[in-house]
Amino acid sequence: MRLRLRCVTCVLGAVLCVSGSGAKAEPAPRKPTVVSGGGTSTGGLFTASAAGAVFELPNRGRLLVAPHATLRVFTVPQALALTSGARTWTWSLALQSGRVDVELPATGRCAVLANLGKLSGIITSGHAAFRVEGNEATAVNLGGELRTVLADHWQTVPEGSLATLSPEEPNAAVKPGIGSPTLEGGQRMWFSPNETVAMHGFRWGNVAGAERYDLRVRRLSDGKLIDQVSTTRTDWQPPLTPVTPGQYGLTLRAVDARGLEGRWSTEAALRVIGVVLPPGGYSDQQAIFLGVGQQVRFTNTEGLEMTYVGAGKYFPAAQAVKLYRGQKTVIGFRMPGAFETAVAELEPRGIFADVRIGPQRALWPRDPISIDVRLRATAGRNIPAFVQMIPTVTLGTEPVDLTFERTGDTLHAMLPPSDTPGPWVVRVDVADQYGVALGHDFLEVAAEGRRAIEQRGRRSAHPLPPVETPERRPAPEPPLAASN
């Protein structure tokens, strides 16, 4: 450890000699503190727990210590003239084994010097990773400003590159890191008929030397990280964290067998189109179901093109679409000039009311009218549980107040004869609770003749005597058949 401290001191002295000493430093800030995870310290040597640890620097930079990594974090910074002007407060660490990531803000005058034995690295902004495993030491630029020094030889490590000191690489020359994956075919747009939808179905090409791949999705409007997952496959089929309609960006990176990450790939644009259903409309994984004359409204379609089966061309996306001639309609959305198309299928709801009125040859005032209404669906469709039947009965043009009783899945009511002059037309219209028509039927009722009314009245005044029915006796049992 004394030897390591001497190395750090030598490196700091070299930086001072190279940079000069004409500028003054700002007042020394407070020391780094552990803000997450934990570990044990023995003689100033810190060993992270199985969950790792996070040190926060005074300038809100962070040291992300991997599980079981061993290092020394120095609590007093050095004032180094790394750039023109005021000196930069530089925090130092000596990594013995494992990995530590350094994240520094883009603004502010702060740096971190990492001693990895004979190799050292200094990061002034962004993200870099340092790793020591056996007789191999590596510094990786994951998106920042990084330099390394070996035997007083300084070199800049570009983003996505690394420098490794090992028996096979005694000069720690800078070389490119592992390559970036390229996103291939797959879905880029989704429909969200509910509040959120889970994106899925990504594919990318294989990268030589990759042990696994990281996939990251962020929201473009505010840059918020939505999800980040890892896989050893070259595709991702499970649904990610559900998101609301909007625009998102997807990036990929490869990770080698040492756990060292490559550069993030170029961000691919993803789009989630909102679906605003009309009252009574509903959807499932296959289609959007609409009632007669209803429209579905799409949101977040700015800049997109759309088409429908039979149109033969694309045109600027419309916000509201209805069933074409009341039949199944297939709508496609795409980015201008792109080949990938997001398809939405619109279908009639396929539910209707079976209305039955009888008797068919009803005469008034002789026959009360029976009305039965049953909710049904076309073959292969299910009836949504939320749909309710609201029947409306009219006699001529006047509404009739009837109370329907439910028996199983059928509504039933009886309409008594009217005392108004006939003939009459009884009409039953059925809609759901949102006013979407489900079905209707009507019945023409004729007036009963006066002679028939008088005869029926006489029969009711002089009822016929009851007919005596003979006593029933059990029939004799048949004879038994012969045994032959």
Side-chain angles (χ1 to χ4, degrees):
M1 181 53 63
R2 291 179 179 175
L3 179 60
R4 288 178 178 267
L5 292 176
R6 291 194 190 99
C7 292
V8 173
T9 303
C10 292
V11 171
L12 293 176
V15 172
L16 286 171
C17 292
V18 172
S19 303
S21 58
K24 294 183 179 180
E26 299 176 357
R30 64 183 187 277
K31 64 182 181 179
T33 56
V34 177
V35 295
S36 177
T40 58
S41 294
T42 304
L45 195 64
F46 180 84
T47 301
S49 65
V54 177
F55 285 81
E56 185 175 77
L57 301 177
N59 70 331
R60 295 169 61 182
R62 299 191 304 169
L63 308 179
L64 286 73
V65 185
H68 309 299
T70 302
L71 76 163
R72 183 185 297 273
V73 178
F74 296 92
T75 58
V76 179
Q78 298 281 342
L80 305 181
L82 302 178
T83 59
S84 60
R87 294 186 179 182
T88 302
W89 287 113
T90 304
W91 302 92
S92 302
L93 63 91
L95 181 62
Q96 275 199 351
S97 64
R99 172 174 171 165
V100 59
D101 285 56
V102 180
E103 294 180 350
L104 295 179
T107 58
R109 305 181 71 87
C110 184
V112 171
L113 174 66
N115 174 256
L116 314 177
K118 294 182 179 181
L119 180 68
S120 295
I122 187 166
I123 175 174
T124 53
S125 67
H127 183 191
F130 304 97
R131 179 180 180 272
V132 174
E133 191 68 32
N135 57 1
E136 181 180 282
T138 303
V140 187
N141 187 346
L142 298 176
E145 296 181 359
L146 174 66
R147 288 179 288 171
T148 61
V149 59
L150 176 64
D152 295 335
H153 172 68
W154 289 84
Q155 61 181 352
T156 299
V157 181
E159 182 179 349
S161 300
L162 54 85
T164 298
L165 177 65
S166 67
E168 294 77 19
E169 299 177 84
N171 296 323
V174 174
K175 61 181 181 180
I178 192 170
S180 298
T182 301
L183 191 65
E184 295 180 346
Q187 198 167 350
R188 303 292 180 89
M189 285 190 287
W190 291 262
F191 294 95
S192 177
N194 301 310
E195 293 183 359
T196 60
V197 66
M199 298 183 288
H200 62 91
F202 304 107
R203 300 195 307 273
W204 53 90
N206 183 57
V207 176
E211 183 78 9
R212 62 179 173 86
Y213 301 92
D214 293 338
L215 181 150
R216 183 175 68 184
V217 176
R218 71 182 185 97
R219 187 166 52 210
L220 298 184
S221 60
D222 56 7
K224 180 181 178 181
L225 180 64
I226 300 300
D227 208 343
Q228 182 166 327
V229 295
S230 297
T231 178
T232 57
R233 299 167 53 93
T234 56
D235 65 343
W236 185 266
Q237 299 302 330
L240 296 173
T241 299
V243 294
T244 56
Q247 299 185 45
Y248 299 86
L250 167 67
T251 53
L252 302 163
R253 70 180 178 185
V255 184
D256 65 17
R258 299 173 295 176
L260 299 178
E261 303 89 346
R263 297 184 64 178
W264 288 103
S265 64
T266 303
E267 194 168 51
L270 308 177
R271 181 79 67 103
V272 176
I273 300 173
V275 178
V276 181
L277 296 172
Y282 64 98
S283 65
D284 59 18
Q285 296 296 327
Q286 285 72 42
I288 299 171
F289 300 93
L290 304 175
V292 177
Q294 288 189 320
Q295 289 184 332
V296 59
R297 188 167 62 88
F298 296 102
T299 63
N300 197 39
T301 59
E302 296 81 4
L304 296 183
E305 295 178 334
M306 70 173 292
T307 187
Y308 59 88
V309 173
K313 64 178 181 178
Y314 280 86
F315 43 87
Q319 290 187 336
V321 182
K322 65 180 180 179
L323 295 170
Y324 181 67
R325 295 180 178 177
Q327 302 298 317
K328 178 178 178 179
T329 305
V330 180
I331 304 293
F333 289 90
R334 73 171 187 181
M335 296 294 295
F339 293 101
E340 296 83 5
T341 302
V343 176
E345 295 187 2
L346 313 182
E347 294 193 19
R349 291 199 309 179
I351 54 177
F352 62 94
D354 183 10
V355 183
R356 308 230 174 149
I357 311 175
Q360 289 296 312
R361 298 180 179 275
L363 297 175
W364 274 358
R366 185 189 69 184
D367 304 313
I369 305 301
S370 175
I371 303 173
D372 293 284
V373 181
R374 183 180 180 184
L375 191 62
R376 305 180 69 99
T378 56
R381 297 284 177 82
N382 296 321
I383 300 176
F386 69 86
V387 177
Q388 302 175 15
M389 294 185 295
I390 310 296
T392 301
V393 181
T394 56
L395 182 59
T397 59
E398 297 297 323
V400 179
D401 186 13
L402 283 183
T403 300
F404 283 82
E405 297 180 354
R406 178 180 293 276
T407 304
D409 58 354
T410 301
L411 298 180
H412 174 75
M414 296 296 296
L415 177 64
S418 174
D419 54 2
T420 61
W424 306 265
V425 176
V426 178
R427 182 179 176 89
V428 179
D429 293 277
V430 184
D432 64 12
Q433 66 268 40
Y434 306 106
V436 180
L438 295 175
H440 68 274
D441 199 0
F442 68 93
L443 176 67
E444 295 182 355
V445 183
E448 188 179 15
R450 180 173 298 178
R451 178 176 296 181
I453 295 175
E454 293 175 353
Q455 290 178 354
R456 185 157 44 82
R458 287 195 295 269
R459 285 198 300 269
S460 60
H462 303 283
L464 297 175
V467 179
E468 295 183 2
T469 57
E471 181 181 359
R472 294 187 177 182
R473 296 181 180 179
E477 295 183 1
L480 296 175
S483 60
N484 187 5

